[in-house]
Each structure stands twice: as structure tokens, then as C-alpha cells.
Amino acid sequence: MNEAYVLIVGAGPSLGLAIAREFGRDIKKVALFARSEENLSSLAKSLNSEGIEVKTKSVDAADLVALEAATEEILADWGAPRVVVYHGATVVSRRPLALPSSEFARELVVNVVGAHLVTSTVAPKMTEGTILYTGGGFAMYPSADYGSLSAGKAALKNLAESAAGDLLDRGVHLAVINICGFVEPTGNFSVEQIAKKYGEIHLQGRDEWKFEYNYV
């Protein structure tokens, strides 16, 4: 039987690392996807020092062919994950109509289409576990200054709601966590506290499952 592991797509040195640590305390294997080889190497070194086995893959979530190949590769190597976190996002401060349509489309690929691809690739292999999307308050309260991100978070929320029911019979909990605020060094919006919410949702009993959680 394959050992349980966590797949984090869009892992970075802030919340992504905190999420890896949160799950890695109990699930000692983590697969990290991100664009930067340098960042991935640093994350792996940090997690390895805490006794967590790490596999990394440099991949751009905007490249769906590469993202699908990376996801299929980790499935072949490690089997089905116990937890999947789609944390990919492109944060661009541009009003929606000031953004060329080609750029708007590319950012939607990272912000939501990548989540669809990863989910549709891994979910058929899973017989239990959790798939979590990192959403945001912009899903409910869009910002004109972050037009593409607001559209992406709204689409991500709706993807979670519409797809979650299809996975219930497999014993897989799909949900979005809308982080309604900005990361801060300490307090409720520290990366450690936010990551703890991801872990708590994964440990919920089936009667507690929801498709959407607002972190406020």
C-alpha cells in the first residue's frame, strides 16, 4: 500500500510552507509544485530538517500540459495523495478592463483552470482524503483593483461548490477556504494560524463537511 502524502500546487515560502508543515507533522511525505527551482530547493531543505520527506517539481500552473504531466508523474511515483491543496494564484494589481484579454485568460488558467485540471486528474485515483482550494474574500467582495484575481476566486468558489458533490461517494472532501484578509506576521492572519485551519478541515468527520469555509 502506498504511504499517505500531501500534494501542494503553488507552494511558496509563506503560507504554502506553513501548510506543508501543518500536514507534514502527521503525514510525513509532501510533494511540492511551484515555478521556482530555487524556492523549491529551499522549501525542501527546511521541511527535510523537520523529518518530512519531500518531492519537488518545477512547473508553471499556466502551462496545463506541463501541469498535467507533473501530476501524472507524482501519481505514478507515489500513488494517490491523502490531501491535495491547490494554492496557485497570479496576483496582479490591474483593473479588469486595463488588462489585455490574453493576460486575463492566462491568469484565469492559474487561478482556477489549474485547480480543475489537478482535481480531475487526482480525484479518480483517490478513495479517501481531502482536496482544498485556497480561495479569498474577493470571491464575495470583488476588488476592481484586482480584477483577474477577483474573477478567479469567484470561479474557484463556484468550482468547489459544483464539483464537491461528485466526490462524496468516493469519500473525498472537496472544499474552498476563502481567506478574507491579508497575511500578517502574527495573530489570526499569521500563516501558522491560517494553515491550522487547513489541517482542521482535513480532520473533520463527514457530517461536518462543507464545500466552503470562510476564514475571517
Side-chain angles (χ1 to χ4, degrees):
M1 179 179 292
N2 293 313
E3 293 182 52
Y5 73 96
V6 181
L7 170 61
I8 301 174
V9 180
S14 181
L15 181 55
L17 176 58
I19 293 169
R21 282 187 172 133
E22 175 68 26
F23 286 111
R25 279 194 288 270
D26 295 316
I27 304 174
K28 294 295 185 178
K29 295 177 68 173
V30 177
L32 304 176
F33 291 0
R35 285 180 297 176
S36 169
E37 287 273 15
E38 184 178 355
N39 282 346
L40 285 169
S41 178
S42 177
L43 296 179
K45 184 177 180 180
S46 178
L47 293 168
N48 286 159
S49 72
E50 299 170 27
I52 301 169
E53 182 181 352
V54 180
K55 185 184 289 289
T56 64
K57 183 69 175 181
S58 176
V59 61
D60 186 346
D63 184 342
L64 295 177
V65 173
L67 181 59
E68 183 174 17
T71 306
E72 293 284 7
E73 182 179 326
I74 193 63
L75 289 173
D77 289 348
W78 278 4
R82 181 67 52 80
V83 179
V84 178
V85 177
Y86 189 85
H87 191 58
T90 299
V91 181
V92 176
S93 180
R94 295 278 293 277
R95 297 180 74 84
L97 300 184
L99 199 64
S101 296
S102 58
E103 290 184 37
F104 188 82
R106 183 183 187 281
E107 287 160 21
L108 285 179
V109 168
V110 176
N111 293 337
V112 65
V113 181
H116 178 275
L117 185 150
V118 171
T119 303
S120 60
T121 304
V122 301
K125 309 292 185 182
M126 297 174 70
T127 57
E128 61 176 326
T130 310
I131 301 174
L132 298 174
Y133 300 157
T134 297
F138 288 161
M140 295 83 72
Y141 308 104
S143 167
D145 291 328
Y146 291 90
S148 62
L149 184 61
S150 294
K153 293 305 184 187
L156 195 64
K157 173 181 180 294
N158 281 277
L159 174 61
E161 180 175 6
S162 59
D166 294 340
L167 302 183
L168 290 177
D169 288 344
R170 302 190 64 82
V172 176
H173 181 197
L174 169 61
V176 62
I177 304 173
N178 296 316
I179 302 172
C180 301
F182 294 95
V183 169
E184 297 175 353
T186 60
N188 189 50
F189 277 91
S190 68
V191 293
E192 293 80 12
Q193 288 300 313
I194 297 171
K196 188 180 295 184
K197 184 65 175 179
Y198 286 70
E200 290 172 354
I201 292 170
H202 172 60
L203 294 176
Q204 285 181 339
R206 185 167 177 146
D207 59 340
E208 300 176 275
W209 289 3
K210 300 188 294 183
F211 79 87
E212 178 182 19
Y213 299 82
N214 293 329
Y215 188 89
V216 295

